[in-house]
Amino acid sequence: TRGGATYSLGFSGDGRYLVGVQADGNLRAWRMADGMEAVSIPPTAGYMHTSALSRNGRLLAYPGARGAVVLADVAAWSESGETSARTLEGHPGGVGYLAFHPAGRHLASSGADGSVRIWELSTGRRIAVLQPQGGNSPRLAFSADGRSLVVAGPDEVIRVYGRKP
């Protein structure tokens, strides 16, 4: 790969692409069949360091301009490298981390402002905003059953929202 270290990796749902964010800030997708780069998306607002693929691998989320969250339809990628995407409102100061709900209905995003937003993917509507008070850009993960959202902030506190085990 030509972009240096790779910070995040994931496979598309059909296994045709490997997607990664690299040290040069570009998000790239490589065709598994031949290892060739199929898509390269440059950072639109500063440094890009994260992305997330839905569990079925059909949707890719990544930070966009002005704190937006970009949702790209991986199935719509063409061999020419064109992407089909839509954006969600975003976070003031930029997007930190992203996590898809296991059922694929929701996306959680964290921001430089310290907030966590939950998005309904079918409508693009923000349905909840959490203020964990742990600092900026907390890390996110949904539990396997989707009943809990774990938020880990730079304050070294792990917060669990929803149903606790």
Side-chain angles (χ1 to χ4, degrees):
T1 66
R2 63 185 165 108
T6 302
Y7 296 135
S8 66
L9 285 172
F11 283 101
S12 61
D14 59 10
R16 291 179 52 205
Y17 300 101
L18 176 65
V19 179
V21 176
Q22 294 193 284
D24 65 1
N26 286 285
L27 186 143
R28 290 186 171 89
W30 300 273
R31 287 189 300 269
M32 292 303 297
D34 60 10
M36 298 300 296
E37 184 178 288
V39 175
S40 179
I41 301 169
T44 55
Y47 180 70
M48 185 182 332
H49 66 280
T50 191
S51 67
L53 280 157
S54 60
R55 185 166 284 184
N56 66 11
R58 294 182 184 152
L59 280 178
L60 171 69
Y62 60 91
R66 295 176 302 284
V69 175
V70 180
L71 292 173
D73 182 356
V74 175
W77 286 350
S78 68
E79 292 303 313
S80 67
E82 294 176 12
T83 60
S84 170
R86 63 184 173 123
T87 58
L88 304 175
E89 180 183 317
H91 289 268
V95 174
Y97 291 90
L98 302 156
F100 279 96
H101 185 275
R105 292 187 299 264
H106 300 100
L107 174 75
S109 62
S110 69
D113 62 348
S115 71
V116 174
R117 297 178 184 202
I118 311 296
W119 307 91
E120 183 178 62
L121 294 175
S122 62
T123 64
R125 187 173 60 96
R126 185 180 65 221
I127 58 172
V129 177
L130 307 173
Q131 297 290 342
Q133 304 299 317
N136 65 0
S137 299
R139 276 46 169 194
L140 308 167
F142 279 102
S143 61
D145 65 6
R147 294 182 181 181
S148 302
L149 175 64
V150 178
V151 178
D155 62 351
E156 301 181 12
V157 174
I158 296 174
R159 295 166 176 85
V160 180
Y161 294 89
R163 184 175 166 202
K164 295 175 175 74

